[in-house]
């Protein structure tokens, strides 16, 4: 890896160039250090998520190694209603919103803005199409993606923990109805 540094003397015709090299071992150590730092950051992030709080350090470590960081611009779709549910997503930075499209058009049903909130688990666990479209909002967001096969094979009883939290989602139907009332102007 060569890193170039340029220095000019007073003469416009003459330019001096210096090349600096980074030894292979030093470069590898920089990469390893950055990776270890990211792993530690993900580990503390996961430990703060309530549904994961009872996982052992070993289980959190396994899960941390399976996460993939994904960046989305504002208004970019993360998941689409009707698509196959192949992953669960944890909000790492930024914000996103969930929308359901039905007889009253597209209605916002949830705003994810808290570090550690998650979505996509219903379709993943129940093996059904996605119930909502989730889009990044504002300046965008960063999510950590955990694939279906990793939930199934590698993370202990995380499936049961996520499944227990699904009970709070019937609110989507109520939120959709409220959104339709807001669109028509009929408020309670």
């Amino acid at each position: 890896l060569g890193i170039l540094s340029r220095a000019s003397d007073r003469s416009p015709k003459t330019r001096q160039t210096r090349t600096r090299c980074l030894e292979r071992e030093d470069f590898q150590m920089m990469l390893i250090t950055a990776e270890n730092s990211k792993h530690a950051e993900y580990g503390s992030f996961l430990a703060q998520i309530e549904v994961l709080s009872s996982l052992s350090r070993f289980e959190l470590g396994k899960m941390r190694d399976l996460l993939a960081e994904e960046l989305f611009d504002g208004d970019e779709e993360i998941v689409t209603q009707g698509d196959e549910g192949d992953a669960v997503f944890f909000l790492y930075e930024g914000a996103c919103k969930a929308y359901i499209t039905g007889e009253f058009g597209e209605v916002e049903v949830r705003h994810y803005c808290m570090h550690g909130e998650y979505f996509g688990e219903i379709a993943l666990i129940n093996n059904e199409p996605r119930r909502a479209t989730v889009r990044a909002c504002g300046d965008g967001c960063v999510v950590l993606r955990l694939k279906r096969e990793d939930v199934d094979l590698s993370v202990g009883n995380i499936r049961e923990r996520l499944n227990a939290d699904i009970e709070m989602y019937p609110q989507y139907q109520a939120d959709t109805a409220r959104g339709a009332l807001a669109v028509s102007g009929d408020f309670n």
Side-chain angles (χ1 to χ4, degrees):
L1 174 72
I3 300 173
L4 296 179
S5 161
R6 294 185 181 171
S8 300
D9 64 9
R10 299 208 183 262
S11 168
K13 296 179 183 175
T14 308
R15 290 184 112 163
Q16 294 178 346
T17 303
R18 285 182 249 157
T19 303
R20 296 187 180 143
C21 292
L22 186 60
E23 295 293 327
R24 180 184 190 143
E25 292 81 19
D26 293 336
F27 180 69
Q28 287 175 335
M29 186 55 86
M30 284 175 47
L31 292 177
I32 291 169
T33 301
E35 186 70 22
N36 286 341
S37 172
K38 190 58 93 172
H39 276 229
E41 191 176 319
Y42 286 173
S44 63
F45 168 77
L46 292 172
Q48 295 173 9
I49 299 172
E50 187 175 334
V51 74
L52 306 177
S53 63
S54 60
L55 290 176
S56 70
R57 286 178 58 191
F58 176 73
E59 289 173 315
L60 283 173
K62 285 175 63 176
M63 187 173 174
R64 174 195 65 215
D65 293 340
L66 299 169
L67 294 172
E69 185 175 285
E70 296 184 10
L71 294 92
F72 294 91
D73 292 326
D75 293 324
E76 186 176 358
E77 288 189 0
I78 302 168
V79 299
T80 304
Q81 183 176 343
D83 284 356
E84 177 188 357
D86 62 348
V88 61
F89 298 85
F90 298 91
L91 183 62
Y92 190 62
E93 290 178 9
C96 54
K97 294 180 180 181
Y99 301 88
I100 292 179
T101 302
E103 70 179 273
F104 299 106
E106 185 177 81
V107 178
E108 179 185 329
V109 293
R110 181 98 189 253
H111 185 176
Y112 297 95
C113 57
M114 303 255 319
H115 190 71
E117 287 185 293
Y118 56 92
F119 56 91
E121 76 282 6
I122 297 172
L124 181 114
I125 290 171
N126 293 336
N127 234 1
E128 61 186 41
R130 299 251 183 230
R131 293 184 182 180
T133 295
V134 178
R135 284 190 208 102
C137 59
D139 291 334
C141 69
V142 177
V143 295
L144 302 179
R145 177 186 185 132
L146 183 65
K147 293 190 253 179
R148 172 190 304 280
E149 56 269 17
D150 296 333
V151 169
D152 290 344
L153 301 175
S154 303
V155 191
N157 60 356
I158 188 65
R159 177 179 286 277
E160 290 79 27
R161 292 180 183 134
L162 290 172
N163 200 23
D165 282 356
I166 288 178
E167 301 307 318
M168 61 187 194
Y169 284 103
Q171 71 186 12
Y172 272 168
Q173 284 73 24
D175 288 342
T176 303
R178 263 198 311 268
L181 291 175
V183 168
S184 69
D186 297 332
F187 298 101
N188 288 345

